Amino acid sequence: MGDVLTPDGVIVEMQYGHLSGNDIQHRERVYGNMVWLFYACRAHSSGRLRLRFLPGRAHVNFAWSQPRKTLDACQRPVYLDLGESDQANGTHLILELKRCHPRQSGRLSGSGKTYTAAAFHNWMAHGIPLTPFIPEINDHEAA
């Protein structure tokens, strides 16, 4: 069975390393009601996975150079653990991929929502609905 079973009956499969497309398809068939949580901290901290926050909005845009190729095999919701983000004053973020644009050579871009790791944990452990992380608007963004 998956790594975490939420109080709502959702299986969270946490993936740190490589997983083949066939393994992803198999787990999705077996688990059914599930989501993926992929480790992407190094990609984010190195700048290969960048976010563009829309001040005051829950949605973000992202661009990822050299993304995990196996994401294409995922049919269930995908979340990325970004770690402590320098783009969010050190807040530990989870990115939910909502829309991905067609892959361009070695690059994936799209949009999604961010959540704090604490909010994601509270959803997994206690079934508390996820509340999106909305960055504060600073003075130069408000102008």
Side-chain angles (χ1 to χ4, degrees):
M1 204 52 141
D3 296 308
V4 174
L5 178 61
T6 71
D8 297 333
V10 177
I11 294 172
V12 180
E13 179 71 14
M14 297 178 194
Q15 214 39 61
Y16 181 83
H18 175 75
L19 196 62
S20 74
N22 287 337
D23 287 337
I24 287 172
Q25 291 169 354
H26 174 76
R27 290 182 192 191
E28 288 184 352
R29 269 193 316 275
V30 170
Y31 297 163
N33 188 19
M34 67 160 304
V35 301
W36 293 100
L37 178 61
F38 288 99
Y39 178 85
C41 298
R42 276 193 286 253
H44 185 57
S45 66
S46 71
R48 288 189 304 109
L49 173 52
R50 301 294 295 170
L51 305 176
R52 187 168 57 90
F53 289 100
L54 306 171
R57 297 191 52 207
H59 285 81
V60 300
N61 294 320
F62 71 89
W64 190 357
S65 64
Q66 302 169 346
R68 288 177 176 257
K69 291 183 173 92
T70 53
L71 290 178
D72 292 338
C74 296
Q75 298 299 307
R76 302 289 191 264
V78 172
Y79 294 84
L80 303 176
D81 182 351
L82 303 180
E84 294 177 354
S85 176
D86 64 347
Q87 291 188 267
N89 297 319
T91 302
H92 188 154
L93 294 179
I94 306 293
L95 171 64
E96 178 183 15
L97 303 185
K98 288 289 199 179
R99 177 179 292 164
C100 293
H101 304 298
R103 191 181 295 261
Q104 302 165 343
S105 80
R107 184 176 171 90
L108 180 66
S109 63
S111 61
K113 288 185 179 180
T114 52
Y115 306 94
T116 65
F120 199 81
H121 173 268
N122 286 333
W123 170 70
M124 287 192 304
H126 309 292
I128 298 171
L130 282 170
T131 303
F133 171 78
I134 299 175
E136 294 179 16
I137 299 173
N138 59 36
D139 292 337
H140 77 277
E141 290 171 331

